[in-house]
Amino acid sequence: MPRTIIPAAVSFGPALRPNVWDLAVLPLVLAILWVLAFGGAQMATPYNIGDPLSITLDPEALPYYLLRSFLRMAAGLLVSLVFTLVYATLAAKSRYAEKILIPVLDVLQSIPILGFLSITVTGFIALFPGNLLGVECASIFAIFTSQAWNMTFSFYASLRTVPHDLHEVADMFHLSVWQRFWQLELPFAAPGLIWNMMMSVSGGWFFVVASEAITVNGQTITLPGIGSYIAMAISERNLPAIGWAILTMLIGIIIYDQLFFRPLVAWADKFKFESLPGEEVPTSWLLDTLQRTRLLRVFSAVPVLLWEWSLPVFRKRFDGLAATDRLNFRLPWFDRVWTLFLLGIAAYAVYRIGEYVQAEVGLDEVLHVFVLGLATAVRVIVLIAIAALIWVPIGVWIGFRPKLAQAVQPIAQFMAAFPANLMFPVAVILILHFNASVEIWTSPLMILGTQWYILFNVISGAMSMPSDFRSVADNFGLKGWLRWKRLILPGIFPSFVTGAITASGGSWNASIVSEMVSWGDTTLMATGIGSYIADNTQKGDFPRIALGVAVMCCYVMLFNRQIWRRMYRLAEERLRID
Amino acid sequence: MTDDNELLIDLEGVRKFFRAPDHSDRVVLEDVNFQLKQGEIVALLGKSGSGKSTLLRIIAGLIDANGGKVLYRGKSISGPVHGVSMVFQSFALFPWLTVQQNVELGLEALAVPAAEREERALEAIDVIGLGGFESAYPRELSGGMRQRVGFARALVMRPDVLLMDEPFSALDVLTAETLSADLLELWQERKIPTKGILFVSHNIEEAVAMSDRVLIFSSDPGRVKAEVPVPLAHPRDKDLPAFKAIVDQVYAIMTQRPLRPAGAEALSLGYRLPSATPHKIEGMIETLIEPQFDGKADLPALADELQLPDDALFHLLEAGALLGFIRVDEGDAILLPLGRTFAEAETTERKELFAEQLMSHISLASHIRHVLDERRDHRAPEGRFIQELEDFLSDDEAERVLEQVIAWGRYAEIFDYDYTSGVLSLPEEDEEERGDGEASSGEDAAAE
């Protein structure tokens, strides 16, 4: 990619002397660097389990907490990106690796993220004894698990769908593996990857908030950050503090969007393989300003130099006349041996898990947990249905009005990014006030944050419906239910499915924090697998956490396979407009 | 073999097969012998599926042959060779790279220093007539300009041998002619170091206009069926009788054998049915009875009248011949008595006639109909037939052939197909004699 960022500007001529734009940008860059260095230094402070970590509810401390949460998010994203590039590339390039990596990824993405946190935190603390960095890592790991899988799937899918003729060009012009990755594969995958990074960060705020206050063996460790601030405010029943936290979060999300994603998306637009006519080109004031600076040209000389330096190092040294060109190690029997080997390992793992569960919790409890899972499943289905009934008509109404849609769309996307768990205390207060049923009224919390995915996908589906279709419908006087049945529903179905998949996955994850909510020392608990995991996490009962997580994982996979994948295929094959 | 250096490319007994899912081999190329000598341009012509693109890719080193010798200047090829470059049908430019970056791609791979790279790339861009567009992105360019970038990218490598896979077929006629004329000029004035050009074409006139020799491939398995030398000086006038004679000759050879009129024996199940919609077949037959042809048309004239590219015309002719409506002889399409009846009939009769011919000559069609007749619910999933076809054809080809027979079967109303479920069934009238066949369309009216 370095080659493609900017036109070559290796010579340091007068063109590289600072200009007006540099004056504006330089302080900004220095400030960002300083803030990052300061926050980073704070992450590795000495700490032993049991030491009190004081969180102050003073609103003036919030910018600092926001910075710490920011850094966790950024670290999680960076780790996710590196993981994505390595894991997906391996899976796409090696048939043997693919056979194990892809199913593993499929399971990983179905595991509830907060389950990861409970299971891994002890290990991370042991890794950095006497230092807060271990807990910090556990939190970052939780954020990573909320971000990495969809990015990896997207990158893998892109690698597999690089057009055949471009591969042939790469072969024909002797591109090395190195050159191929930076000039063909990564650019081709970039738009999808960046879109998924945005979705990841958007979903990630929820887990930043949820993962900062970690419970280890009955002890609660609170990392400095927005999430801990909220946790503190909840336990002290401080409503104004929650208001301040919500405000800070709003500002934080806007900053992330403006300083990071907008420039990135605007820049990545050139990697789009084919653009539709009339499609709006994303813009960013920051990118525009940056591109006018000479500073950027100076900095961009670095990747260009690196790229030039790397070319001879990684170059392919022989062509098709050399006997070494095509080495084929492919042994037909090795495929079968490999498959058998993997199946053997899987069977052994299942056997050992069964044994462990039998010894620690017993079969009865396993059945009980499956019933709890059913309760949560019913909640998810009912909530998605209700959300669809509410948001589909509204989304279509908005989507058919382009001006309005332009205004509403960013708000919907912002709402999806906003960590809904910040709002939970309000719900608890309401439920207590009206003395409402806990089983029913904690449920909407599950979908509080994820319903927006349905809304903004439906809006974009309705917006992208060709206007001829609507003209035809008008022309033939298609009205009422018939209009919905023949035109609108089929038209938005693919976008709706995309939104509903995200909403459903998010709801399962959210069940862990939403089926058990507290306000001060009042705790409301609904029956479900989410509260089962949350409850056992607090108790530090490792086998039961594992059981809960495994069962939820089964449900999520079942949902994905039996419902969403089918609907997705239906949408892909039949209702695509092209 | 007089002098090894004279021969750029030398193929001896090349064979290529692809392995079908049931582990049987489908032979794509069989015993192909071919030599490209210094200073020649050779065109490869053949029906789609005759393996000419596969052959080009074997020479390019993009795929391996399964047998025989593939030599470049006397040395065996096992991968892309530095002296060989290629131009692609789809242009295949990297959309995120500028024109210059696209052209420099291969030089970067050879680790040519930046300054020299730039110099060579700018020169190639200039030569091909794109000067001034160095910093443009491919999406800003028209199709013809994009293909010029494709040429510059190949020529900047200073190849000995230039391979081109239908380089002009994605362009409109005028653009294609300008571009091929420009290339010929560069070649003749020795502005490019290339010593031999081999290209695949589906346009007979284009092949004759450009090349010194035309090689014609037969299909299933692909092999060189004939070679037609083109001993005409450049630039060639397409209206010259000598030129027209060669074009006619190529047409005649290409339609020689596989276009037998439907005889007594039905085609085998796995026959590669040609791609031709029933309405195109109707159109061709209607054109043939027009006074200017009166039942007999010279193929180039017919291609012109129908405004079809050559490969589409061949598919159409083959379909017409298989169904017994026409016969192709010595480069002429001749309407048979049955075709005349068809042309003069009304829609319903046409469909009946079409159905009759389909049932008696296309065994895949009659096979499907029999299966549906025998089944109690008169329904069968398409997968079943695709599987049967895959014994003979590649996956893609099996799907294409089934799609084709479904299009014909639907037109002839001998069976029906539901896209959503992928199920073939008998048409409703046949299924329940008469009755509530309108149930599904009645629903719409009721909803109103």
Side-chain angles (χ1 to χ4, degrees), chain A residues 64-131:
Chain A
Y64 171 68
Y65 289 149
L66 180 65
L67 171 68
R68 293 295 298 270
S69 297
F70 247 44
L71 284 177
R72 258 166 232 133
M73 175 66 102
L77 193 61
L78 189 70
V79 177
S80 302
L81 190 61
V82 172
F83 174 86
T84 296
L85 296 184
V86 175
Y87 195 98
T89 308
L90 261 178
K93 299 261 159 148
S94 159
R95 284 189 315 138
Y96 299 122
E98 183 181 20
K99 257 191 191 154
I100 175 157
L101 294 183
I102 294 308
V104 165
L105 196 62
D106 202 28
V107 175
L108 281 174
Q109 70 161 354
S110 312
I111 297 181
I113 288 135
L114 297 169
F116 269 118
L117 184 64
S118 339
I119 293 172
T120 51
V121 68
T122 347
F124 276 112
I125 289 175
L127 215 57
F128 299 94
N131 197 306

Side-chain angles (χ1 to χ4, degrees), chain A residues 155-368:
Chain A
F155 193 56
Y156 167 76
S158 296
L159 287 181
R160 295 297 303 265
T161 49
V162 172
H164 186 65
D165 53 350
L166 295 192
H167 267 313
E168 285 191 334
V169 167
D171 282 339
M172 200 64 225
F173 292 94
H174 314 285
L175 267 60
S176 61
V177 176
W178 172 254
Q179 203 184 348
R180 201 182 285 248
F181 181 78
W182 290 106
Q183 287 189 317
L184 174 56
E185 288 157 349
L186 192 58
F188 179 75
L193 185 59
I194 290 172
W195 169 254
N196 275 283
M197 275 167 75
M198 275 174 69
M199 287 290 110
S200 282
V201 166
S202 162
W205 291 115
F206 185 97
F207 297 102
V208 169
V209 171
S211 70
E212 283 173 351
I214 300 177
T215 309
V216 190
N217 299 331
Q219 294 246 15
T220 300
I221 307 168
T222 48
L223 292 166
I226 296 272
S228 296
Y229 184 91
I230 298 277
M232 187 80 174
I234 289 174
S235 67
E236 293 197 0
R237 295 184 175 234
N238 187 337
L239 210 51
I242 290 188
W244 282 113
I246 291 175
L247 183 69
T248 314
M249 200 67 240
L250 286 175
I251 296 170
I253 294 174
I254 292 173
I255 292 178
Y256 226 85
D257 184 57
Q258 290 294 318
L259 292 193
F260 187 59
F261 274 118
R262 271 188 178 255
L264 196 61
V265 168
W267 173 73
D269 190 56
K270 68 176 188 177
F271 297 119
K272 280 219 185 107
F273 198 64
E274 44 207 8
S275 49
L276 306 165
E279 203 180 17
E280 206 162 316
V281 179
T283 55
S284 153
W285 58 269
L286 182 63
L287 185 72
D288 290 346
T289 316
L290 274 175
Q291 281 173 338
R292 292 193 187 120
T293 63
R294 300 218 162 111
L295 189 72
L296 183 77
R297 262 176 273 172
V298 176
F299 276 118
S300 61
V302 177
V304 170
L305 282 175
L306 282 176
W307 178 241
E308 290 296 335
W309 171 82
S310 76
L311 279 175
V313 176
F314 292 100
R315 95 175 246 225
K316 198 173 156 218
R317 278 163 213 287
F318 44 82
D319 75 350
L321 295 181
T324 42
D325 187 52
R326 210 163 280 168
L327 294 173
N328 273 330
F329 301 108
R330 193 170 287 182
L331 302 170
W333 52 266
F334 190 74
D335 268 19
R336 245 168 272 165
V337 172
W338 181 247
T339 310
L340 278 178
F341 174 71
L342 292 181
L343 285 178
I345 290 193
Y348 180 70
V350 167
Y351 168 73
R352 284 306 296 266
I353 290 170
E355 214 180 40
Y356 180 73
V357 168
Q358 181 72 33
E360 294 287 335
V361 289
L363 259 182
D364 286 353
E365 178 135 11
V366 175
L367 284 178
H368 172 62

